[in-house]
Amino acid sequence: MTERENILGRIREALKTPAPRPGGHAGQDHDSLTASSPARTAAVHAREWLPPVPETAEGQLALFAAHSADLKTDFRTLPDADAFASALRDLAAQLGWKRVASHNGDLTFRATEGLDLPILRVDAGYDVNEMEDCDAGVTECDALVAQTGSVVLTSRSAGGRALSVLPPHHVVLARLSQLVRDLPAAFALLQAKYSYDYPSFMTFITGPSRTGDIERILVLGAHGPKKLTILCADH
Amino acid sequence: MSEILKLFKAQASKVAGDLRHRSLIQTALGKYETQRDRRKAAFQSWEEARQVAAETKWEAMRSLDEHLVSFVNKLEARGTRVHWASNGVQARDIILGVIRAKKARCVIKSKAMTAEEIHLNEAMEKEGYEVVESDLGEFIVQLRKEAPYHIVFPAMHLTRDEISDLFHRELGSAQTSDPEELTMIARRALRKKYIAADIGITGANFAIAETGMISITENEGNARLTAALPKTMITLLGIEKVLPRMADLALFLPMLATAGAGQPITCYNSLYGGPRRPGEPDGPEEYHVVLLDNRRTELLADAEQRDALHCIRCGACLNVCPIYRNVGGHTYGTTYSGPIGSVITPHLRGLQDWKHLSAASSLCGACTETCPVKINLHHHLLHNRRNAAAQNPNWIEKTAFRVFGTVMNSLALYRVVRAAARCLQPLHGLVKGGPFDPARAWTKTRELAPVAPKTFREQWKERA
Ligand code: SF4
């Protein structure tokens, strides 16, 4: 017998004795996943217990901005996608960037082309040491989550796994239409967009990298980016 | 008294009297408590969320076999190698086998309590591999050659000055008392390691049965780098980590962060479904997932305590436990400390050797009340006491209770004993707390309540 069969065998043996549903009474409700079954409740109704989110688009944008301020995310709204290029140029000049890494997305390509800097394009593979040398990684994303101030991105939408975590400054280019209200909506979006073939990596990024491992004092930039900038265009 | 128990008692009395330890823990956990309460209050209903989280884990456990098969099939279909390990030895051999086959030299690790459980680092180091812990807290305790102090905050017991001394000694850095600078020293040291490492090892917070993905929660970005840069990635996880659906994370991610650290959501919550896919610019070429049993199935077989497998390792029960806060994390001598450690260690490592942990509790129930998945922690401590006594009865205790029962059932005997107690109690002062005191275990540190000079009955009669 393989270890797989051994372990599954032990599990099946153990499960012959049912355990009572939590909060229920022993001996009751063992075998029926009834109307209140978590299969429905957790997925669909999480919205009723999680922190509340305003119904209106303006309210959601304001909540995202408020979370960003708490998290020390630099969140800026821009009039349109044409403004990405100048916003990036300003950041580059202000922070003295010497080299930037990015991927060939619709938004990122146009926005980084106008930078008067060497650009490391990661799409066809790259050298890690070169990426380590870059001052910023510029990526797109799949969604922004109003409820938590998170950015959702994947290895397919944002140039792989390292681009958004290795350089010390992560800049996200997003569209306002990508703002979703809450976590259940974000997972539904990932499912709708990718369930035919999921990328190998998907992540929810909430603020710049941080640690509290020394005397529980908050320090930004533990291993990932010290800075997170989200540029969000209206159209 | 067994060696393990002796050590526990000695450590416990030492740490409980250590005022420096007490103030460190109290500052750290005080901050945690305010933040946690604020975050809980932000939920529309924390209590309902707990109930649903508990039911979701219950649902995951009641068809654990089916969930695991689905999880594994999905992973394998996308090119992941899945391994099953019944115990720590097998898991270590599997992982060492992968490292050997890759002719690797340097291994970078992100936080994984399961790796502590099977002593993976020792095994890899013995074979001559360089192993680097990348989580800041873990990195610090690794440099000190210590076990993590807490399952979420591994270096909670150290001050910045101690950490500065440590870095100065081990890494040659300049002394500083600025936590930010200390963090940057570690950041610089570890950057080089990520780039040099051939193997990245991670743990997992959840295993999604529906999509065949593992979910990792972290604040620092070290697990993300561990999963991005090395050519080979290995994830070691216990079989109980299963969640049925990806959408369940919408509830579990904020609950884990709130209960564990008082954060609304942790900085990075990442899902990994396999090695690098065609068209992706990076990621490991090979991905191995090692599923560990290591007596979890024995705990599963105990229907009464099965819910202990629902644990999401948030650490909340440690943070609120008066025993943990007084004796500290290392005193337990276990991988998992605090209330959850006291409950599961007797199952994972032997009831008789670890039954003293069931008594390391005031039974206040703070752990049960705080647990985000509603594990019946303090009752399980009682269950373990009962089981330990049934398996290996203690004749002194048995006799004592039989005598107590006889006395309490007979009015005449009760009166005799009461009269004797009244006469003898004034003499107790002569031996109190000393070697001849029969009640020494109690009176060493506490007072014995005086026997009342008159009973209620006697007073009633007098006043009538
Ligand atoms: S037992 Fe509950 S409170 Fe304790 S670590 Fe596990 S999930 Fe958290």
Side-chain angles (χ1 to χ4, degrees):
Chain A
M1 266 216 294
T2 63
E3 275 326 303
R4 174 189 164 120
E5 283 156 18
N6 284 336
I7 294 174
L8 286 174
R10 285 198 293 271
I11 292 174
R12 289 182 185 127
E13 192 54 41
L15 290 177
K16 282 185 183 158
T17 323
R21 177 191 278 270
H25 301 289
Q28 168 197 317
D29 224 351
H30 281 156
D31 287 316
S32 55
L33 272 176
T34 49
S36 70
S37 112
R40 301 184 202 188
T41 46
V44 181
H45 297 294
R47 199 159 277 165
E48 294 165 22
W49 315 303
L50 292 176
V53 180
E55 291 297 331
T56 65
E58 300 79 63
Q60 292 172 10
L61 182 64
L63 182 61
F64 189 88
H67 278 310
S68 298
D70 274 354
L71 292 159
K72 310 222 162 36
T73 302
D74 172 19
F75 174 61
R76 308 180 192 184
T77 46
L78 305 178
D80 53 44
D82 292 335
F84 283 138
S86 60
L88 273 188
R89 264 199 307 276
D90 291 350
L91 275 174
Q94 208 181 358
L95 300 168
W97 290 349
K98 298 202 174 56
R99 190 168 192 200
V100 169
S102 189
H103 64 104
N104 288 331
D106 284 346
L107 302 180
T108 45
F109 189 75
R110 272 209 296 153
T112 50
E113 234 187 1
L115 280 176
D116 200 14
L117 291 174
I119 309 284
L120 176 72
R121 301 265 170 216
V122 300
D123 306 75
Y126 60 89
D127 179 89
V128 172
N129 290 296
E130 285 188 35
M131 190 190 279
E132 230 278 303
D133 261 354
C134 290
D135 298 295
V138 182
T139 77
E140 295 180 4
C141 70
D142 294 88
L144 305 176
V145 187
Q147 188 172 48
T148 53
S150 312
V151 182
V152 185
L153 56 80
T154 70
S155 44
R156 212 169 292 157
S157 66
R161 300 187 184 194
L163 180 59
S164 51
V165 72
L166 191 62
H169 189 162
H170 177 203
V171 182
V172 181
L173 308 186
R175 289 198 172 86
L176 191 55
S177 57
Q178 289 182 305
L179 183 69
V180 299
R181 66 176 283 167
D182 53 14
L183 291 169
F187 281 106
L189 180 136
L190 287 175
Q191 217 135 17
K193 188 166 173 186
Y194 294 117
S195 62
Y196 70 98
D197 179 24
Y198 281 109
S200 74
F201 163 73
M202 311 197 279
T203 193
F204 287 66
I205 297 173
T206 313
S209 154
R210 59 196 57 217
T211 185
D213 273 347
I214 301 174
E215 292 187 20
R216 309 283 314 122
I217 293 166
L218 177 72
V219 175
L220 297 184
H223 290 290
K226 292 187 190 94
K227 291 198 181 114
L228 172 64
T229 300
I230 303 173
L231 303 176
C232 183
D234 210 333
H235 304 293
Chain B
M1 215 192 299
S2 78
E3 281 307 309
I4 302 175
L5 175 56
K6 254 189 237 160
L7 205 65
F8 177 84
K9 285 198 163 169
Q11 265 311 100
S13 355
K14 195 172 125 219
V15 181
D18 180 347
L19 294 180
R20 188 187 138 278
H21 174 267
R22 177 168 303 220
S23 84
L24 254 175
I25 300 299
Q26 269 169 3
T27 345
L29 293 178
K31 280 187 205 166
Y32 156 82
E33 275 171 6
T34 7
Q35 282 168 359
R36 178 203 59 194
D37 290 345
R38 225 179 68 207
R39 293 309 169 193
K40 272 189 189 172
F43 274 66
Q44 291 170 81
S45 171
W46 175 256
E47 279 314 309
E48 269 186 74
R50 281 178 81 211
Q51 177 61 27
V52 175
E55 288 187 22
T56 306
K57 276 306 250 182
W58 172 79
E59 185 200 353
M61 286 307 124
R62 77 200 274 283
S63 357
L64 182 59
D65 51 336
E66 289 161 33
H67 289 312
L68 280 175
V69 168
S70 158
F71 171 69
V72 166
N73 287 348
K74 290 266 158 56
L75 272 172
E76 285 176 338
R78 288 149 52 87
T80 301
R81 293 274 322 275
V82 179
H83 311 262
W84 300 71
S86 281
N87 52 46
V89 178
Q90 286 178 3
R92 288 201 302 262
D93 286 347
I94 291 164
I95 293 171
L96 287 172
V98 174
I99 301 177
R100 238 177 262 133
K102 292 280 120 193
K103 301 198 169 45
R105 303 261 277 286
C106 179
V107 177
I108 191 109
K109 260 190 76 224
S110 68
K111 202 163 170 324
M113 290 310 291
T114 36
E116 301 284 338
E117 182 183 328
I118 66 167
H119 305 291
L120 181 60
N121 286 9
E122 288 91 320
M124 292 191 291
E125 276 160 5
K126 224 176 91 201
E127 299 269 314
Y129 301 113
E130 186 189 358
V131 183
V132 185
E133 288 287 350
S134 59
D135 172 89
L136 177 59
E138 292 279 348
F139 177 68
I140 293 168
V141 294
Q142 188 192 27
L143 285 180
R144 284 173 60 95
K145 303 188 174 52
E146 263 178 5
Y149 194 78
H150 184 288
I151 58 180
V152 178
F153 318 128
M156 190 173 79
H157 59 305
L158 300 172
T159 61
R160 60 185 92 181
D161 295 330
E162 287 168 306
I163 296 167
S164 174
D165 286 346
L166 176 74
F167 283 0
H168 177 67
R169 203 169 58 235
E170 300 288 330
L171 307 172
S173 60
Q175 296 275 10
T176 169
S177 59
D178 178 6
E180 174 151 6
E181 250 175 72
L182 288 168
T183 306
M184 293 311 135
I185 293 168
R187 179 183 168 113
R188 281 192 296 273
L190 284 164
R191 276 281 156 145
K192 298 182 204 134
K193 302 290 181 189
Y194 284 116
I195 293 176
D198 326 89
I199 307 261
I201 299 183
T202 77
N205 294 87
F206 303 103
I208 311 299
E210 172 193 37
T211 56
M213 293 174 189
I214 64 140
S215 170
I216 301 182
T217 291
E218 51 150 351
N219 272 313
E220 297 182 3
N222 60 308
R224 285 191 59 197
L225 287 166
T226 305
L229 302 183
K231 290 262 175 290
T232 304
M233 172 177 170
I234 305 173
T235 296
L236 171 69
L237 73 159
I239 51 171
E240 83 285 11
K241 290 284 169 209
V242 163
L243 278 183
R245 294 156 300 267
M246 186 163 79
D248 294 332
L249 291 174
L251 185 64
F252 278 86
L253 298 180
M255 288 191 77
L256 173 60
T258 298
Q263 277 178 286
I265 189 166
T266 317
C267 188
Y268 300 112
N269 285 288
S270 309
L271 287 154
Y272 296 94
R276 168 187 191 169
R277 311 273 299 157
E280 292 179 351
D282 55 11
E285 285 158 12
E286 257 182 49
Y287 183 35
H288 296 262
V289 166
V290 183
L291 281 167
L292 179 69
D293 177 349
N294 214 20
R295 301 178 81 168
R296 283 165 176 74
T297 43
E298 282 180 37
L299 184 49
L300 190 75
D302 182 344
E304 190 174 48
Q305 294 191 49
R306 186 175 296 157
D307 69 351
L309 289 170
H310 298 178
C311 175
I312 57 174
R313 306 273 185 264
C314 70
C317 58
L318 283 63
N319 300 344
V320 299
C321 177
I323 306 300
Y324 181 90
R325 292 168 78 130
N326 274 294
V327 307
H330 285 152
T331 300
Y332 288 80
T334 57
T335 308
Y336 306 102
S337 51
I340 184 65
S342 299
V343 168
I344 63 177
T345 306
H347 292 270
L348 303 181
R349 289 165 74 170
L351 180 57
Q352 292 307 327
D353 278 343
W354 297 94
K355 64 180 176 189
H356 58 279
L357 295 182
S358 321
S361 166
S362 63
L363 296 179
C364 65
C367 47
T368 308
E369 195 181 292
T370 204
C371 175
V373 288
K374 289 182 118 173
I375 299 172
N376 204 353
L377 289 158
H378 70 296
H379 285 108
H380 292 338
L381 293 173
L382 287 174
H383 296 145
N384 279 341
R385 289 188 196 179
R386 178 200 62 201
N387 296 348
Q391 201 183 68
N392 187 7
N394 174 334
W395 66 266
I396 301 181
E397 272 176 21
K398 272 194 116 161
T399 321
F401 276 105
R402 194 162 303 140
V403 171
F404 179 77
T406 318
V407 172
M408 297 309 276
N409 276 317
S410 143
L411 185 57
L413 271 178
Y414 177 75
R415 285 192 173 140
V416 172
V417 171
R418 191 181 64 209
R422 272 188 203 144
C423 303
L424 291 176
Q425 198 174 35
L427 302 177
H428 185 209
L430 300 176
V431 295
K432 184 166 169 275
F436 300 109
D437 184 353
R440 189 163 70 104
W442 180 267
T443 52
K444 239 188 337 187
T445 52
R446 305 172 188 83
E447 286 302 320
L448 210 54
V451 182
K454 276 183 191 148
T455 66
F456 179 77
R457 266 168 102 86
E458 286 159 355
Q459 292 188 39
W460 183 266
K461 268 194 197 137
E462 275 175 20
R463 291 184 198 192

